[in-house]
C-alpha cells in the first residue's frame, strides 16, 4: 500500500501496536498525516493514529488495521514546530530528518536521507509532542537493551545505563566570537541543561527497564514451575499448590508494562483503553469459561496496571466502545443489571444450545436444573449461570419451578401442549421424552 | 396416569413448573389456559360449584411431585375464569374473593337444561318445589341432580323473566315452588 517506504509495524487483534521488548508508549495523537514534500515518489499516509514510543514512531491506519513505523534510530534530527503567522492558520507541522536506504526506504542506516513532515490535524499540543519526541530520541532506549545484554555478556558494568550516549547534537563547539559566538554559547547552555535533565530521565527509564526485567524473570520462573510440577514428587503437595497459586496471581498482576494513560493518549484515552482492555481480557476470559463478571475484570485490569488505575466509569466507557471497533469480546447486560464480558464466540445462542442439551438429559427432565448444576456444566460462576438460566427462561426455552427445595428450571413443555387435547399423549417428541424419563422414576 | 377420585388427570399434571406461576408472559398465558380448562373439567365431573380459597381443593395439590399452587396462583387462575367477559365461567361470591362460583355450565345453559328436563318428563303446567328439582326422582341421573341451589335459583329466575316458569313461595318457610308453563 502507500506506506511501503516505511518499515511495517505489527498490530494486535484489537489494533494496538505490538511493542518491542522494553518499548513503552509515551504519546498518542490522532489524525496525523505523514508526508514527504520533497519526494513525491513516496506516497503520503493520511489521517492515522500516531503513537510515539521509546523506540519508534508508529503510524496506524484504523480502517485497514495496518501499521507502519519510523524507528527512532533512523532519526537524524527533529525540528520544532514553526511559529509563524501562517502556521497559526494551518495544522501544526513537525519536520523530522530520517535516514533512508539507497532504494528510498526509511531505515536505521542508509546513505540517503528524507525529510518527513508530521501534520497534526487533531487538537493537540505540538510543542509538547515535539518535546516528548526529542526526549525519547535523546534517551536512545533502543540501544539501552542492546548494550545491557552486551554488558552482561562481558560481565562488567558501565557506570549507569545510557551515560555517554546522551545528546546527539550535531553542533561542533568551535570557539567563535561575535553574535554567532553568543548564539553558540546560548545553544551550548541549553544543551547542557538538556543533557542533565535527560540524565535524570535516564534513571526513570532505567527503572522502567528494570521493571521489564522483573517481568521477564517472573515469566521464566512461571515456565519453570509449570514444567517442573509434573516431574516433582508430590510430598508437600498442598503447600506447593498454595504458593504456586500465589505466584500465578502475582504473574497475572504484572501482565501490563505500558499502560495507556490519560497523559499519553489524551482525548483518545477511552479508545485506546478500550483496545488495551480487549487485548487484556482474553486470557482471564478463557480461564473463566468464556464469560466473566465486569466487576472481576475491573479488579484484574487495575491490578495489572499497578499504578494509573482506571475508574469504573472509564471501564464502562471502554467496554461500550467495543461496539464501534471490531473486537472478539462484548459487554452483556442482564435484566437484573448484572454485567458480564462475554467472548463473542460464546454468544447467547451457543450458551442456550448448551443449556437446552443440559435440560434434555433424563436427570434434568426428572429433577430440573439448578443454578449450581448449570454452573458446573457450563464451567462458569453460579451467579452468572443463574443469569443465563433466567435469560433462557425469557426466551421461552425453560420454565421455573419454585418450591421449598429451591429454584429449579425445567425444559419448557408448555409450548408442546395443546389445550384442546390436554389428555392425550402428545405428538411432541419432547413431551414424550419427558414422559419416559419421569415414568422410570415413578 | 393418576386420577382424583374418578377424574383422570392429564399427564402434565406431574410437570413441576405447572404449579409455579410463570413470569414470562407467553409461557404464563399457556399455563393459565391449561389450568382454566382443567378446573372446569374437574368441577364438571365432580359437580363442584364452589371453590373456597381458604379450603383445600384436591386439584390444586399434587402429592406425587410434592407441589401445590400458592394462594396467589390460585387467585390468579380463578380470576381469569371470572374475568373472561361473556364467557363468564366463574364469579366471585364475595368482595373478599374468598369463594368462587364455578359455572362449568353458564346460567343460560342451566336454563336450557331445565327446559329439557321439563319437556322430557312432561312437566308442563305442573308444579314442583325447588328442592325436588334438585334431588327428586326425575332429576336423578341428570345434570340437575345436586345442582347448587343458588345456581338453580338464578336459572329459574332467568326463565321466569322469559315467562317460562313462575316462582312462588311454598308452604314451608324456606322452600319455594315452581310452576312450569306450557
Amino acid at each position: 500500500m502507500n506506506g511501503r517506504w516505511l518499515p511495517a509495524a505489527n498490530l494486535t487483534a484489537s489494533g494496538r501496536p505490538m511493542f518491542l521488548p522494553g518499548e513503552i508508549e509515551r504519546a498518542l495523537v490522532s489524525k496525523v498525516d505523514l508526508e514527504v514534500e520533497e519526494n513525491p515518489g513516496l506516497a503520503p499516509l493520511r489521517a492515522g493514529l500516531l503513537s510515539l514510543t521509546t523506540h519508534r514512531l508508529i503510524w496506524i491506519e484504523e480502517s485497514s488495521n495496518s501499521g507502519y513505523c519510523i524507528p527512532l534510530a533512523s532519526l537524524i534530527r527533529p525540528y520544532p514546530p514553526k511559529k509563524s503567522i501562517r502556521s497559526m492558520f494551518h495544522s501544526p507541522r513537525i519536520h523530522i530528518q530520517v535516514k533512508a536506504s539507497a532504494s528510498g526506504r526509511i531505515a536505521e542506516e542508509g546513505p540517503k536521507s528524507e525529510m518527513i513532515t508530521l501534520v497534526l490535524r487533531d487538537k493537540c499540543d505540538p510543542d509538547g509532542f515535539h518535546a516528548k519526541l526529542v526526549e525519547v530520541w535523546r534517551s536512545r532506549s533502543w540501544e539501552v537493551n542492546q548494550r545491557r545484554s552486551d554488558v552482561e555478556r562481558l560481565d562488567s558494568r558501565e557506570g549507569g545505563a545510557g551515560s555517554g550516549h546522551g545528546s546527539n547534537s550535531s553542533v561542533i563547539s568551535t570557539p567563535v566570537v561575535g553574535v554567532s559566538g553568543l548564539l553558540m554559547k546560548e545553544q551550548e547552555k541549553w544543551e547542557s541543561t538538556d543533557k542533565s535533565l535527560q540524565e535524570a530521565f535516564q534513571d526513570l527509564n532505567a527503572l522502567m527497564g528494570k521493571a521489564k526485567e522483573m517481568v521477564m524473570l517472573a515469566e521464566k520462573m512461571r515456565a519453570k514451575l509449570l514444567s517442573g510440577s509434573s516431574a516433582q514428587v508430590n510430598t508437600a503437595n498442598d503447600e506447593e499448590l498454595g504458593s504456586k497459586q500465589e505466584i500465578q496471581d502475582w504473574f497475572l498482576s504484572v501482565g501490563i508494562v505500558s499502560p495507556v494513560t490519560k497523559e499519553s493518549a489524551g482525548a483518545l484515552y477511552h479508545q485506546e483503553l478500550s483496545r488495551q482492555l480487549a487485548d487484556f481480557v482474553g486470557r482471564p476470559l478463557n480461564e473463566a469459561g468464556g464469560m466473566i463478571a465486569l466487576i472481576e475484570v475491573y479488579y484484574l485490569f487495575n491490578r495489572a496496571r499497578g499504578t494509573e488505575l482506571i475508574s469504573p466509569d472509564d471501564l464502562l466507557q471502554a467496554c461500550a466502545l467495543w461496539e464501534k471497533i471490531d473486537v472478539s469480546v462484548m459487554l452483556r447486560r442482564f435484566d437484573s443489571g448484572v454485567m458480564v464480558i462475554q467472548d463473542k464466540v460464546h454468544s447467547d445462542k451457543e450458551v442456550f444450545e448448551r443449556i437446552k442439551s443440559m435440560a434434555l438429559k433424563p436427570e434434568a427432565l426428572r429433577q430440573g436444573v439448578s443454578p449450581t448444576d448449570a454452573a458446573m456444566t457450563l464451567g462458569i460462576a453460579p451467579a452468572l449461570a443463574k443469569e443465563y438460566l433466567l435469560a433462557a427462561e425469557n426466551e421461552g426455552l425453560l420454565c421455573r419451578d419454585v418450591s421449598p427445595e429451591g429454584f429449579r428450571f425445567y425444559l419448557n413443555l408448555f409450548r408442546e401442549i395443546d389445550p384442546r387435547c390436554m389428555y392425550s399423549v402428545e405428538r411432541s417428541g419432547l413431551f414424550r421424552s419427558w414422559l419416559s424419563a419421569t415414568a422410570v422414576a415413578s | 396416569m393418576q386420577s382424583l377420585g374418578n377424574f383422570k388427570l392429564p399427564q402434565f399434571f406431574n410437570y413441576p413448573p405447572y404449579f409455579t406461576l410463570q413470569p414470562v408472559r407467553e409461557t404464563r398465558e399457556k399455563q393459565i389456559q391449561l389450568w382454566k380448562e382443567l378446573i372446569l373439567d374437574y368441577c364438571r365431573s365432580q359437580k363442584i360449584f364452589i371453590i373456597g380459597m381458604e379450603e383445600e381443593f384436591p386439584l390444586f395439590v399434587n402429592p406425587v411431585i410434592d407441589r401445590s399452587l400458592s394462594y396467589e396462583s390460585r387467585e390468579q387462575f380463578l380470576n381469569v375464569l371470572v374475568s373472561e367477559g361473556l364467557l363468564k365461567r366463574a364469579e366471585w361470591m364475595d368482595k373478599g374473593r374468598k369463594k368462587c362460583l364455578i359455572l362449568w355450565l353458564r346460567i343460560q345453559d342451566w336454563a336450557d337444561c331445565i327446559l329439557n328436563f321439563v319437556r322430557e318428563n312432561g312437566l308442563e303446567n305442573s308444579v314442583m318445589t325447588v328442592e325436588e328439582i334438585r334431588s327428586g326422582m326425575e332429576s336423578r341421573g341428570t345434570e340437575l341432580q345436586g345442582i347448587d341451589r343458588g345456581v338453580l335459583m338464578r336459572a329459574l329466575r332467568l326463565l321466569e323473566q322469559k315467562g317460562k316458569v313462575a316462582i312462588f313461595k311454598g308452604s314451608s318457610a324456606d322452600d319455594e315452588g315452581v310452576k312450569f308453563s306450557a
Side-chain angles (χ1 to χ4, degrees), chain B:
Chain B
M1 206 43 218
Q2 321 142 216
S3 23
L4 269 178
N6 61 343
F7 178 74
K8 191 153 170 282
L9 289 163
Q11 280 144 332
F12 59 80
F13 197 69
N14 278 353
Y15 179 54
Y18 189 54
F19 286 83
T20 303
L21 191 59
Q22 295 298 317
V24 177
R25 192 169 61 98
E26 213 186 298
T27 318
R28 184 173 61 242
E29 279 169 5
K30 200 52 169 310
Q31 184 190 26
I32 286 175
Q33 281 273 308
L34 294 175
W35 269 109
K36 192 181 82 169
E37 295 302 324
L38 188 62
I39 290 171
L40 287 175
D41 288 349
Y42 180 70
C43 289
R44 187 180 298 124
S45 85
Q46 307 296 302
K47 291 233 169 137
I48 294 173
F49 288 86
I50 297 175
I51 296 181
M53 290 296 289
E54 314 270 280
E55 291 136 32
E56 284 208 10
F57 192 59
L59 188 66
F60 295 150
V61 178
N62 186 342
V64 173
I65 55 171
D66 199 16
R67 295 280 186 278
S68 57
L69 282 180
S70 67
Y71 193 94
E72 191 204 326
S73 322
R74 281 182 273 146
E75 202 180 4
Q76 274 241 6
F77 296 141
L78 290 174
N79 249 337
V80 170
L81 282 171
V82 168
S83 56
E84 277 203 337
L86 288 173
L87 294 165
K88 249 180 166 219
R89 288 301 194 177
E91 288 169 3
W92 286 112
M93 296 175 75
D94 57 328
K95 269 219 167 73
R97 296 195 185 180
K98 297 292 181 208
K99 285 195 183 312
C100 190
L101 181 70
I102 307 293
L103 296 167
W104 37 272
L105 280 181
R106 296 168 303 152
I107 303 292
Q108 177 58 55
D109 301 324
W110 281 118
D112 293 337
C113 219
I114 294 169
L115 288 179
N116 275 339
F117 170 73
V118 168
R119 209 179 322 123
E120 274 168 25
N121 289 286
L123 292 168
E124 293 86 344
N125 279 319
S126 57
V127 175
M128 235 184 182
T129 66
V130 170
E131 196 52 42
E132 276 175 335
I133 299 175
R134 286 184 74 222
S135 50
M137 284 291 301
E138 291 86 351
S139 58
R140 214 156 284 179
T142 70
E143 276 168 328
L144 288 171
Q145 181 182 21
I147 183 177
D148 176 82
R149 202 188 153 85
V151 174
L152 180 58
M153 286 311 298
R154 282 165 68 174
L156 288 171
R157 276 190 219 113
L158 184 64
L159 287 172
E160 193 179 41
Q161 277 174 355
K162 296 202 177 142
K164 304 277 184 177
V165 303
I167 308 173
F168 54 91
K169 276 251 178 280
S171 43
S172 48
D174 50 357
D175 205 4
E176 283 147 301
V178 183
K179 176 158 198 254
F180 304 111
S181 53

Side-chain angles (χ1 to χ4, degrees), chain A residues 3-9 56-57 67-71 105-108:
Chain A
R4 256 184 271 127
W5 47 281
L6 289 166
R56 310 174 276 176
L57 274 161
Y68 302 97
C69 65
I70 302 169
R105 266 184 112 245
I106 306 303
E108 293 180 27

Side-chain angles (χ1 to χ4, degrees), chain A residues 109-123:
Chain A
E109 287 304 323
K112 300 211 304 192
S113 77
E114 298 286 356
M115 187 72 86
I116 302 181
T117 307
L118 312 174
V119 187
L120 310 170
R121 295 194 189 279
D122 200 10
K123 276 201 200 62

Side-chain angles (χ1 to χ4, degrees), chain A residues 393-394 396 399-403 405 410-417 419 422-425 431 434-435, chain B residues 7-12 14-18 20-24 27 30-31 33-34 37-38 41 66-67:
Chain A
E393 182 192 38
N394 251 327
C399 290
R400 63 170 65 179
D401 165 45
V402 178
S403 74
E405 287 148 25
Y410 287 76
L411 195 69
N412 183 359
L413 290 179
F414 286 111
R415 291 196 289 200
E416 312 287 319
I417 308 170
M422 300 194 304
Y423 298 92
S424 49
V425 176
F431 196 78
W434 176 73
L435 276 179
Chain B
F7 178 74
K8 191 153 170 282
L9 289 163
Q11 280 144 332
F12 59 80
N14 278 353
Y15 179 54
Y18 189 54
T20 303
L21 191 59
Q22 295 298 317
V24 177
T27 318
K30 200 52 169 310
Q31 184 190 26
Q33 281 273 308
L34 294 175
E37 295 302 324
L38 188 62
D41 288 349
D66 199 16
R67 295 280 186 278

Side-chain angles (χ1 to χ4, degrees), chain A residues 361-417:
Chain A
K361 297 216 168 65
E363 189 68 30
L365 285 174
R366 274 199 296 275
Q367 296 173 344
V369 175
S370 74
T372 334
D373 298 334
M376 286 203 293
T377 315
L378 295 174
I380 57 179
L384 291 187
K386 184 161 185 192
E387 292 298 331
Y388 278 106
L389 289 175
L390 289 171
E393 182 192 38
N394 251 327
E395 290 290 311
L397 200 64
L398 300 175
C399 290
R400 63 170 65 179
D401 165 45
V402 178
S403 74
E405 287 148 25
F407 207 112
R408 302 185 83 85
F409 289 90
Y410 287 76
L411 195 69
N412 183 359
L413 290 179
F414 286 111
R415 291 196 289 200
E416 312 287 319
I417 308 170

